[in-house]
Amino acid sequence: MNADEARESLAFSEYARKRARDDMGRPWLALVLLASLSVVSLSLTDAATSPTALFWVFAGPLGAGAIALYAYRRNRSSGIESSPLAYVAITLGLLILAYTAGKIGFAFQVPAAARFGPAFVAAAGYFALAWIERSWMVATISFALLAVTVVIIGFDLSSQQSKALVFGLYGITLLAVGFSLRVARKPVL
Amino acid sequence: MTHPSSALDDTIHQRVRLGILAVLSESRRADFGYLQDVLEVTAGNLSQHLAILEDAGHVQITKAFEDKRSRTWVTVTRKGRAALATEVATMHALLDGIGSGQRP
């Protein structure tokens, strides 16, 4: 094999790899679902100790189930299968950690942990999603959200103000990115 | 001391077979039609390459009957995944060697 053939083979295998990744779909649904669930989680942070926290008992399995169903249908139609387990594991892990952070914050009387813990956990979840999708865009957004949370803590705002800020920024940004990924996949007619 | 090219695997040391393993290494499995589309090869050509990879233990082929039609799924084995990683690393090493050898 000469150098040109080696370069050509490597370029072709890289093309095939990228095409497979693209065809397995962008993380739009997982992102939108994770965003929606974590936004609701953030709004319920202070209620993590109340019966309304039962929300997760239903939202967690439903979210994970929807992602798994989406992955299954996508796989069947495209002819290439990715494992839905990573999405499901991330969704469930994220929900459990977010809920636990709220609980620990309340148990140890650390209001900041209860208020911002789930936000940090959500950002970590998006990092994990970025890793499995090899998406620099998702990773960058996750980092930005993490930084925003730290800045909001620094401002020492009231509980309601900080909650509203985190709620709005996480929700709007991630839902917008999720839907834009979805739109980007649609062919222009 | 052996030359780095001796580490190249003749079985996957071919453009289409390298492409097959590259696609499969990114996924859980892919069907025959998908591979044909991505790699832009004829069905007969793809069958031949898959048979070679299957004989070498790099891929596993499963035929299933779904929605009243037959479907052929291809999965990369652990051996195939490792062989692909070695092959790509070897080719990079060879190209790096050629590149550094050209320097004054």
Side-chain angles (χ1 to χ4, degrees):
Chain A
M1 174 181 265
N2 62 38
D4 287 340
E5 283 172 348
R7 278 192 202 96
E8 208 270 334
S9 289
L10 282 173
F12 184 68
S13 75
E14 195 49 38
Y15 152 77
R17 208 183 275 274
K18 279 185 182 157
R19 169 81 191 268
R21 266 185 222 162
D22 281 350
D23 289 343
M24 281 190 293
R26 292 173 191 278
W28 73 270
L29 181 82
L31 200 62
V32 169
L33 268 172
L34 290 178
S36 314
L37 292 178
S38 51
V39 163
V40 180
S41 162
L42 293 169
S43 73
L44 292 177
T45 296
D46 291 340
T49 54
S50 75
T52 48
L54 279 175
F55 165 78
W56 292 119
V57 174
F58 301 99
L62 279 176
I67 290 171
L69 183 68
Y70 156 73
Y72 173 76
R73 286 173 61 90
R74 186 184 65 181
N75 290 339
R76 279 181 73 89
S77 62
S78 67
I80 184 163
E81 279 194 4
S82 60
S83 171
L85 288 178
Y87 288 128
V88 176
I90 285 180
T91 310
L92 291 180
L94 186 70
L95 301 180
I96 291 165
L97 283 172
Y99 182 71
T100 308
K103 278 282 191 192
I104 289 174
F106 178 80
F108 293 96
Q109 295 296 307
V110 187
R115 204 181 306 155
F116 296 106
F120 283 120
V121 172
Y126 297 121
F127 269 123
L129 182 64
W131 170 253
I132 61 165
E133 291 287 347
R134 311 286 198 277
S135 168
W136 281 107
M137 187 178 72
V138 177
T140 307
I141 289 163
S142 310
F143 187 76
L145 289 172
L146 206 62
V148 162
T149 309
V150 172
V151 169
I152 291 173
I153 293 173
F155 279 147
D156 199 22
L157 300 169
S158 73
S159 168
Q160 289 302 318
Q161 285 171 326
S162 56
K163 199 162 64 177
L165 259 176
V166 171
F167 178 95
L169 284 167
Y170 266 66
I172 292 167
T173 309
L174 291 167
L175 285 171
V177 172
F179 281 117
S180 72
L181 285 171
R182 173 70 184 111
V183 170
R185 276 191 64 73
K186 281 188 175 173
V188 179
L189 297 174
Chain B
M1 188 180 169
T2 56
H3 191 269
S5 63
S6 61
L8 290 170
D9 182 341
D10 285 339
T11 319
I12 62 170
H13 183 57
Q14 198 276 344
R15 187 174 171 274
V16 175
R17 295 201 280 273
L18 204 61
I20 292 170
L21 290 180
V23 169
L24 296 176
S25 69
E26 286 296 320
S27 58
R28 196 160 73 94
R29 60 181 187 168
D31 76 3
F32 189 90
Y34 179 82
L35 288 171
Q36 201 186 335
D37 178 46
V38 172
L39 304 170
E40 294 176 4
V41 288
T42 63
N45 198 350
L46 180 60
S47 291
Q48 282 182 343
H49 287 303
L50 286 175
I52 291 169
L53 289 173
E54 190 182 29
D55 287 345
H58 292 318
V59 300
Q60 214 168 25
I61 298 171
T62 318
K63 289 185 192 294
F65 208 68
E66 296 172 7
D67 298 330
K68 296 180 181 174
R69 68 190 177 106
S70 137
R71 208 162 182 187
T72 303
W73 288 101
V74 189
T75 316
V76 67
T77 61
R78 199 172 288 185
K79 185 184 172 190
R81 222 176 262 278
L84 175 68
T86 307
E87 184 75 4
V88 170
T90 306
M91 283 204 280
H92 277 300
L94 282 169
L95 287 174
D96 288 347
I98 292 167
S100 60
Q102 284 170 344
R103 282 181 202 137

Coordinates of all heavy atoms in Angstrom, one line a residue, chain A residues 1 3 6-10 12-17 19-21 23-24 75-84, chain B residues 13 15-16 18-19 22-23 25-31 34 37-39 66-67 71 73 84 88 91-92 95 98:
Chain A
M1 N 0.9 -1.2 0.0 CA 0.0 0.0 0.0 C 0.9 1.2 0.0 O 1.8 1.4 0.8 CB -0.9 0.0 1.3 CG -1.7 1.3 1.4 SD -2.7 1.3 2.9 CE -4.2 0.7 2.3
A3 N 1.3 5.6 0.1 CA 0.8 6.6 1.0 C -0.6 7.2 0.5 O -1.5 7.4 1.3 CB 1.8 7.8 1.1
A6 N -3.3 4.7 1.4 CA -3.5 4.7 2.8 C -4.4 5.9 3.2 O -5.3 5.8 3.9 CB -2.2 4.7 3.6
R7 N -4.0 7.1 2.6 CA -4.8 8.3 2.9 C -6.2 8.1 2.4 O -7.2 8.5 3.1 CB -4.1 9.5 2.2 CG -3.0 10.1 3.0 CD -2.5 11.4 2.6 NE -1.2 11.6 3.0 CZ -0.1 11.4 2.3 NH1 -0.2 11.0 1.0 NH2 1.1 11.6 2.8
E8 N -6.4 7.6 1.2 CA -7.7 7.4 0.6 C -8.5 6.5 1.5 O -9.7 6.7 1.7 CB -7.5 6.9 -0.8 CG -8.7 7.3 -1.7 CD -9.8 6.3 -1.8 OE1 -9.5 5.1 -1.5 OE2 -10.9 6.7 -2.0
S9 N -7.9 5.4 1.9 CA -8.6 4.4 2.7 C -9.1 5.0 4.1 O -10.2 4.8 4.5 CB -7.8 3.2 3.0 OG -7.6 2.4 1.8
L10 N -8.2 5.8 4.7 CA -8.5 6.4 6.0 C -9.6 7.4 5.8 O -10.5 7.5 6.6 CB -7.3 7.1 6.5 CG -6.2 6.1 7.2 CD1 -5.0 6.9 7.6 CD2 -6.8 5.5 8.5
F12 N -11.9 7.4 3.5 CA -13.1 6.7 3.2 C -13.7 6.2 4.5 O -15.0 6.2 4.7 CB -12.9 5.6 2.2 CG -14.2 4.9 1.7 CD1 -15.1 5.6 1.0 CD2 -14.4 3.6 2.1 CE1 -16.3 5.0 0.6 CE2 -15.6 3.0 1.7 CZ -16.5 3.6 1.0
S13 N -12.9 5.6 5.3 CA -13.4 5.0 6.5 C -14.0 6.1 7.5 O -15.0 5.9 8.2 CB -12.4 4.1 7.3 OG -11.5 4.9 7.9
E14 N -13.3 7.2 7.4 CA -13.8 8.4 8.2 C -15.2 8.9 7.7 O -16.1 9.2 8.5 CB -12.8 9.5 8.2 CG -13.0 10.5 9.3 CD -13.2 10.0 10.7 OE1 -12.5 9.0 11.1 OE2 -14.0 10.6 11.4
Y15 N -15.3 8.9 6.4 CA -16.5 9.3 5.8 C -17.7 8.3 6.2 O -18.8 8.7 6.6 CB -16.4 9.4 4.2 CG -17.7 9.1 3.5 CD1 -18.7 10.1 3.4 CD2 -18.0 7.8 3.0 CE1 -19.9 9.9 2.8 CE2 -19.2 7.6 2.3 CZ -20.2 8.6 2.3 OH -21.4 8.4 1.7
A16 N -17.4 7.1 6.1 CA -18.4 6.0 6.4 C -18.8 6.1 7.9 O -19.9 6.0 8.2 CB -17.8 4.6 6.2
R17 N -17.8 6.4 8.7 CA -18.1 6.6 10.2 C -19.0 7.7 10.4 O -20.0 7.6 11.2 CB -16.7 6.8 10.9 CG -16.6 6.4 12.3 CD -15.2 6.8 12.8 NE -14.2 5.8 12.5 CZ -13.9 4.8 13.3 NH1 -14.6 4.5 14.3 NH2 -12.9 4.0 12.9
R19 N -21.0 9.3 8.3 CA -22.3 9.0 7.7 C -23.2 8.2 8.6 O -24.3 8.4 8.8 CB -22.1 8.4 6.3 CG -23.3 7.8 5.6 CD -24.1 8.9 4.9 NE -25.4 8.3 4.5 CZ -25.6 7.7 3.3 NH1 -24.6 7.7 2.4 NH2 -26.8 7.2 3.1
A20 N -22.5 7.1 9.2 CA -23.3 6.3 10.1 C -23.8 7.1 11.3 O -24.9 6.9 11.7 CB -22.4 5.1 10.6
R21 N -22.9 7.9 11.9 CA -23.3 8.7 13.0 C -24.5 9.6 12.7 O -25.4 9.8 13.4 CB -22.1 9.6 13.4 CG -21.3 9.0 14.5 CD -20.2 10.0 14.9 NE -19.0 9.3 15.1 CZ -17.8 9.9 15.2 NH1 -17.7 11.2 15.0 NH2 -16.7 9.2 15.4
D23 N -26.6 9.3 10.3 CA -27.9 8.5 10.0 C -28.5 7.9 11.2 O -29.7 7.6 11.2 CB -27.6 7.4 9.0 CG -27.3 8.0 7.6 OD1 -27.6 9.1 7.3 OD2 -26.7 7.2 6.7
M24 N -27.7 7.8 12.2 CA -28.3 7.3 13.5 C -29.1 8.4 14.2 O -29.7 8.2 15.2 CB -27.2 6.7 14.4 CG -26.8 5.3 14.0 SD -25.8 4.5 15.2 CE -24.3 5.4 15.1
N75 N -34.4 3.3 14.2 CA -33.5 2.2 13.8 C -34.1 1.3 12.7 O -33.5 1.0 11.7 CB -33.1 1.3 15.0 CG -32.2 2.0 16.0 OD1 -31.6 2.9 15.6 ND2 -32.2 1.5 17.2
R76 N -35.4 1.0 12.9 CA -36.1 0.2 12.0 C -36.2 0.8 10.6 O -36.1 0.1 9.6 CB -37.5 -0.2 12.5 CG -37.4 -1.3 13.5 CD -38.8 -1.6 14.0 NE -39.6 -2.4 13.0 CZ -39.6 -3.7 12.8 NH1 -38.8 -4.4 13.7 NH2 -40.3 -4.3 11.9
S77 N -36.4 2.1 10.5 CA -36.6 2.7 9.2 C -35.3 3.0 8.5 O -35.2 3.0 7.3 CB -37.5 4.0 9.4 OG -36.8 4.9 10.2
S78 N -34.2 3.3 9.3 CA -33.0 3.8 8.7 C -32.1 2.6 8.2 O -31.2 2.8 7.4 CB -32.2 4.7 9.6 OG -31.8 4.0 10.7
G79 N -32.2 1.4 8.9 CA -31.3 0.3 8.5 C -30.0 0.3 9.3 O -29.2 -0.5 9.0
I80 N -29.9 1.2 10.2 CA -28.7 1.2 11.1 C -29.2 1.4 12.5 O -30.0 2.3 12.8 CB -27.7 2.3 10.6 CG1 -26.4 2.1 11.5 CG2 -28.2 3.7 10.7 CD1 -25.2 2.8 10.9
E81 N -28.7 0.6 13.4 CA -29.2 0.6 14.8 C -28.1 1.2 15.7 O -27.0 0.8 15.7 CB -29.5 -0.8 15.2 CG -30.9 -1.2 14.7 CD -31.3 -2.5 15.5 OE1 -30.6 -2.9 16.4 OE2 -32.4 -3.0 15.1
S82 N -28.6 2.1 16.6 CA -27.8 2.5 17.7 C -28.4 1.9 18.9 O -29.6 1.5 18.9 CB -27.7 4.0 17.8 OG -29.0 4.5 18.0
S83 N -27.7 1.9 20.0 CA -28.2 1.3 21.2 C -29.0 2.4 22.0 O -28.4 3.5 22.3 CB -27.1 0.8 22.1 OG -27.7 0.4 23.4
P84 N -30.3 2.2 22.3 CA -31.0 3.2 23.0 C -30.7 3.2 24.5 O -31.1 4.1 25.3 CB -32.5 2.8 22.8 CG -32.4 1.3 22.6 CD -31.1 1.0 22.0
Chain B
H13 N -7.7 -4.9 4.9 CA -6.8 -4.0 4.3 C -7.3 -3.7 2.9 O -6.7 -3.8 1.9 CB -5.4 -4.6 4.2 CG -4.4 -3.7 3.7 ND1 -4.1 -2.5 4.2 CD2 -3.5 -3.9 2.6 CE1 -3.1 -2.0 3.5 NE2 -2.8 -2.8 2.5
R15 N -10.4 -1.0 0.9 CA -11.3 0.2 1.1 C -12.7 -0.2 1.5 O -13.2 0.3 2.6 CB -11.3 0.9 -0.3 CG -12.0 2.2 -0.3 CD -11.8 2.9 -1.6 NE -12.6 4.0 -1.8 CZ -13.9 4.1 -2.2 NH1 -14.5 2.9 -2.5 NH2 -14.5 5.2 -2.3
V16 N -13.4 -1.1 0.8 CA -14.8 -1.4 1.2 C -14.9 -2.1 2.5 O -15.7 -1.8 3.4 CB -15.5 -2.2 0.1 CG1 -16.9 -2.6 0.5 CG2 -15.5 -1.5 -1.2
L18 N -12.8 -1.9 5.0 CA -12.5 -1.0 6.0 C -13.8 -0.1 6.3 O -14.1 0.2 7.4 CB -11.3 -0.1 5.5 CG -10.5 0.6 6.6 CD1 -9.8 -0.4 7.5 CD2 -9.4 1.5 5.9
G19 N -14.5 0.3 5.2 CA -15.7 1.1 5.3 C -16.8 0.3 6.1 O -17.5 0.9 6.9
A22 N -15.9 0.3 9.6 CA -16.1 1.7 10.2 C -17.5 2.0 10.5 O -17.8 2.5 11.6 CB -15.5 2.7 9.2
V23 N -18.4 1.7 9.6 CA -19.9 1.9 9.8 C -20.3 1.1 11.0 O -21.0 1.6 11.9 CB -20.7 1.5 8.6 CG1 -22.2 1.4 8.9 CG2 -20.4 2.5 7.4
S25 N -18.7 -0.2 13.5 CA -18.1 0.1 14.8 C -18.8 1.3 15.4 O -18.7 1.5 16.6 CB -16.6 0.5 14.6 OG -16.5 1.7 13.9
E26 N -19.5 2.1 14.6 CA -20.3 3.2 15.2 C -21.7 2.8 15.6 O -22.4 3.6 16.3 CB -20.4 4.3 14.1 CG -19.2 5.1 13.9 CD -18.7 5.9 15.1 OE1 -19.5 6.4 15.8 OE2 -17.5 5.9 15.4
S27 N -22.1 1.6 15.2 CA -23.5 1.3 15.5 C -23.6 -0.1 16.2 O -22.6 -0.8 16.3 CB -24.2 1.2 14.1 OG -23.6 0.2 13.3
R28 N -24.8 -0.4 16.6 CA -25.0 -1.8 17.1 C -25.1 -2.8 16.0 O -24.5 -3.8 16.1 CB -26.3 -1.8 17.9 CG -26.5 -2.9 18.9 CD -27.5 -2.6 19.9 NE -28.8 -2.7 19.4 CZ -29.6 -3.7 19.5 NH1 -29.2 -4.9 20.0 NH2 -30.8 -3.7 19.0
R29 N -25.8 -2.4 14.9 CA -25.8 -3.3 13.7 C -26.3 -2.5 12.6 O -27.0 -1.4 12.8 CB -26.6 -4.6 14.0 CG -28.1 -4.3 14.3 CD -28.8 -5.6 14.5 NE -30.2 -5.4 14.7 CZ -31.2 -6.3 14.7 NH1 -30.8 -7.5 14.5 NH2 -32.4 -6.0 14.8
A30 N -26.1 -2.9 11.4 CA -26.6 -2.3 10.2 C -27.1 -3.3 9.2 O -26.6 -4.4 9.2 CB -25.5 -1.4 9.5
D31 N -28.1 -2.9 8.4 CA -28.6 -3.9 7.5 C -27.9 -3.8 6.1 O -27.2 -2.9 5.8 CB -30.1 -3.9 7.3 CG -30.7 -2.8 6.5 OD1 -29.9 -2.0 6.0 OD2 -31.9 -2.7 6.5
Y34 N -28.5 -0.8 3.8 CA -27.8 0.4 4.3 C -26.4 0.4 3.9 O -25.8 1.4 3.5 CB -28.0 0.5 5.9 CG -27.3 1.8 6.4 CD1 -28.0 3.0 6.3 CD2 -26.0 1.7 6.9 CE1 -27.3 4.1 6.8 CE2 -25.4 2.8 7.4 CZ -26.0 4.1 7.3 OH -25.4 5.2 7.7
D37 N -25.8 1.1 0.3 CA -26.1 2.6 0.0 C -24.9 3.4 0.4 O -24.4 4.3 -0.3 CB -27.4 3.0 0.8 CG -27.7 4.5 0.5 OD1 -27.6 4.9 -0.6 OD2 -28.0 5.2 1.5
V38 N -24.4 3.2 1.6 CA -23.3 4.1 2.1 C -22.0 3.8 1.4 O -21.3 4.8 1.0 CB -23.1 3.8 3.7 CG1 -21.8 4.5 4.1 CG2 -24.3 4.3 4.5
L39 N -21.7 2.6 1.1 CA -20.5 2.2 0.5 C -20.5 2.2 -1.0 O -19.5 2.1 -1.7 CB -20.0 0.8 1.0 CG -19.9 0.7 2.5 CD1 -19.7 -0.7 2.9 CD2 -18.8 1.6 3.1
E66 N -38.7 -9.6 8.8 CA -39.4 -8.5 9.4 C -40.3 -7.9 8.5 O -40.0 -7.6 7.3 CB -38.3 -7.5 9.9 CG -37.4 -8.0 11.0 CD -36.3 -7.0 11.3 OE1 -36.3 -5.9 10.8 OE2 -35.4 -7.4 12.0
D67 N -41.5 -7.6 9.0 CA -42.6 -7.0 8.1 C -42.7 -7.7 6.8 O -42.7 -7.1 5.7 CB -42.3 -5.5 7.9 CG -42.2 -4.7 9.2 OD1 -43.0 -5.1 10.1 OD2 -41.5 -3.7 9.3
R71 N -34.6 -9.6 5.9 CA -33.6 -8.6 6.2 C -32.3 -9.2 6.7 O -32.3 -10.1 7.6 CB -34.2 -7.6 7.2 CG -33.7 -6.2 7.1 CD -34.6 -5.3 7.9 NE -34.2 -3.9 7.8 CZ -34.7 -2.9 8.4 NH1 -35.7 -3.1 9.2 NH2 -34.2 -1.7 8.2
W73 N -29.0 -8.5 8.7 CA -28.3 -7.6 9.7 C -26.8 -8.0 9.8 O -26.5 -9.2 9.9 CB -29.0 -7.6 11.0 CG -30.3 -6.9 11.1 CD1 -31.5 -7.6 11.0 CD2 -30.6 -5.5 11.1 NE1 -32.6 -6.6 11.1 CE2 -32.0 -5.4 11.1 CE3 -29.8 -4.4 11.2 CZ2 -32.6 -4.1 11.2 CZ3 -30.4 -3.2 11.2 CH2 -31.8 -3.0 11.2
L84 N -10.0 -3.3 13.4 CA -10.2 -2.0 12.7 C -9.3 -1.0 13.4 O -8.6 -0.2 12.8 CB -11.6 -1.5 12.8 CG -11.9 -0.1 12.3 CD1 -11.7 0.0 10.8 CD2 -13.3 0.3 12.6
V88 N -6.3 1.1 11.5 CA -6.3 2.5 11.4 C -5.0 3.1 12.1 O -4.4 4.0 11.5 CB -7.6 3.1 12.0 CG1 -7.5 4.7 12.2 CG2 -8.8 2.8 11.2
M91 N -2.0 2.4 9.9 CA -2.0 3.3 8.7 C -1.5 4.7 9.1 O -0.8 5.4 8.4 CB -3.3 3.3 8.0 CG -3.5 2.1 7.1 SD -4.7 2.3 5.8 CE -6.2 2.1 6.7
H92 N -2.1 5.2 10.2 CA -1.6 6.5 10.7 C -0.1 6.5 10.9 O 0.6 7.5 10.6 CB -2.4 6.9 11.9 CG -3.8 7.5 11.6 ND1 -3.9 8.7 10.9 CD2 -5.0 7.1 12.0 CE1 -5.2 9.0 10.8 NE2 -5.9 8.0 11.4
L95 N 1.8 6.6 7.7 CA 1.7 8.0 7.1 C 2.6 8.9 7.9 O 3.3 9.8 7.3 CB 0.3 8.5 7.0 CG -0.6 7.8 6.0 CD1 -2.0 8.2 6.1 CD2 -0.1 8.0 4.6
I98 N 6.1 8.3 6.9 CA 6.4 8.8 5.5 C 6.6 10.3 5.6 O 7.6 10.9 5.1 CB 5.3 8.5 4.5 CG1 5.3 6.9 4.3 CG2 5.5 9.2 3.2 CD1 4.1 6.5 3.6

